[in-house]
Amino acid sequence: MDGVISSGIIEHVIPYTDITVSRVIFSLALLVAGLVLVKLLVRIFRRGIEKTKLPALTTQFLGHFLKIILYVVVVLIFLKSLGFDVDSYVVGLSAVIGLVLGLGMQDTFTNIAAGVWVAAIRPVDTGEMVTVNGQTGKVKSVGIMSTELLTPDNQLITIPNKLVWGSSIVNMTRMPTRRASVDVGISYNSDLEKAVKIALDLMKGYPPVLQDPEPSVVTTELANSSVNLQLRAWAKTGDLMAVKNYLTAGIFEAYRREGIEIPFPQMDIYIKESKETRKEIMEIQTANSGIRAYE
């Protein structure tokens, strides 16, 4: 008796549709199996492509792309199993899809195409520090639609791929070495030759500073209150910030120790007094004196 009831429920047709409960159960099971199969296939694909010489960025991009295509296929199979005429819907919506592709999806496909070029040519790669479209950060990922940057203070920036491909890209970590530049000003009364020697000794005495190219000190400007120098030292890209910090603090301490004055901006103001101005000053002083006497 219970078997008959259960069989009746399974073969029961859902109101306002011609879909039976058994078909819904079968379709849901098919959907779950499809989603599990998609994850398995994507995992196998990534493991297989990782064995090739393709860059990690390209592998990640292709994995995302394959996942989306397989998800679309699974959804279409799910709808087909429920009895929906998927083919007729696709044909019926072809005109609408064409309009969307021409208008609303224009940016979408532009971003996809730009993402393919970024992944293929690799002006940026995962883990590199770059400046893209005015934004600076470490490349976290390049997806189908956008590129993600992680700033030094842990902010996530998402940039559409068309802006990445269509703008200038400054890659700060692609090259193995970089030059650290530190600006410092000395007084006009200081010994310029001595100041240059102290700066060179400072750079040559710090191991992370490369000796080829050789470090140098150049005079960049004769400013209003100082002679401006620039310390130029080459270092491995990973050591750049450490070298710059060391030279900035080190040159200050070295110049102070050796009596090389580092001036600060100052301005001398001369007041030319007229008879009227002198009279006003005297009146103010008299008034202030009266107030103080009264107090």
Side-chain angles (χ1 to χ4, degrees):
M1 186 67 179
D2 292 340
V4 174
I5 295 175
S6 300
S7 177
I9 294 175
I10 292 176
E11 297 301 326
H12 179 70
V13 177
I14 298 175
Y16 308 107
T17 68
D18 58 352
I19 303 174
T20 62
V21 174
S22 61
R23 180 180 290 184
V24 172
I25 295 173
F26 171 76
S27 298
L28 290 175
L30 195 63
L31 177 63
V32 172
L35 295 178
V36 173
L37 184 61
V38 166
K39 291 184 177 180
L40 181 62
L41 290 176
V42 170
R43 186 179 302 173
I44 294 173
F45 172 78
R46 284 180 175 173
R47 287 180 179 177
I49 204 171
E50 283 174 359
K51 296 179 181 179
T52 67
K53 295 183 179 180
L54 287 176
L57 185 67
T58 305
T59 303
Q60 186 182 42
F61 178 84
L62 293 176
H64 286 318
F65 193 74
L66 178 64
K67 184 188 294 185
I68 290 176
I69 292 177
L70 292 178
Y71 277 148
V72 171
V73 172
V74 169
V75 170
L76 290 177
I77 293 175
F78 171 70
L79 294 175
K80 187 81 172 179
S81 66
L82 287 175
F84 291 98
D85 189 356
V86 177
D87 297 334
S88 64
Y89 275 110
V90 171
V91 173
L93 292 175
S94 59
V96 177
I97 293 174
L99 181 62
V100 170
L101 294 179
L103 298 175
M105 296 294 289
Q106 183 176 358
D107 286 345
T108 299
F109 280 93
T110 301
N111 285 324
I112 292 174
V116 172
W117 283 111
V118 171
I121 299 178
R122 295 192 305 129
V124 301
D125 208 341
T126 305
E128 291 183 331
M129 183 66 69
V130 299
T131 297
V132 178
N133 197 40
Q135 303 291 341
T136 300
K138 183 180 291 186
V139 179
K140 188 172 185 289
S141 67
V142 177
I144 295 176
M145 298 292 295
S146 62
T147 297
E148 293 183 341
L149 302 182
L150 195 63
T151 64
D153 59 346
N154 209 34
Q155 296 185 67
L156 184 64
I157 301 175
T158 302
I159 306 175
N161 282 334
K162 68 173 184 178
L163 296 181
V164 176
W165 185 246
S167 65
S168 299
I169 299 174
V170 180
N171 195 318
M172 291 173 276
T173 53
R174 177 66 59 90
M175 304 306 292
T177 60
R178 282 187 60 193
R179 192 185 74 185
S181 300
V182 175
D183 296 310
V184 62
I186 64 172
S187 170
Y188 277 93
N189 297 325
S190 298
D191 187 336
L192 178 59
E193 185 176 351
K194 180 180 178 182
V196 171
K197 183 179 184 304
I198 292 172
L200 285 174
D201 290 342
L202 176 69
M203 289 186 286
K204 292 179 180 180
Y206 189 52
V209 174
L210 301 177
Q211 302 306 311
D212 185 21
E214 190 176 1
S216 62
V217 179
V218 296
T219 304
T220 58
E221 184 183 8
L222 300 177
N224 292 332
S225 58
S226 65
V227 178
N228 293 339
L229 306 178
Q230 187 176 78
L231 285 65
R232 297 177 177 178
W234 286 86
K236 293 181 180 179
T237 300
D239 297 333
L240 182 71
M241 290 308 299
V243 169
K244 192 166 186 177
N245 290 336
Y246 174 83
L247 295 182
T248 301
I251 195 63
F252 173 75
E253 292 294 338
Y255 279 173
R256 186 171 64 174
R257 183 173 58 251
E258 297 295 333
I260 302 295
E261 181 184 357
I262 301 178
F264 54 86
Q266 54 186 334
M267 182 183 295
D268 295 330
I269 300 176
Y270 297 92
I271 300 176
K272 184 177 180 181
E273 294 184 4
S274 63
K275 292 182 178 180
E276 292 77 7
T277 304
R278 189 179 297 109
K279 183 179 179 181
E280 291 177 1
I281 293 174
M282 291 178 64
E283 289 177 354
I284 293 172
Q285 289 176 344
T286 303
N288 289 340
S289 178
I291 292 173
R292 284 195 294 268
Y294 176 78
E295 292 176 345

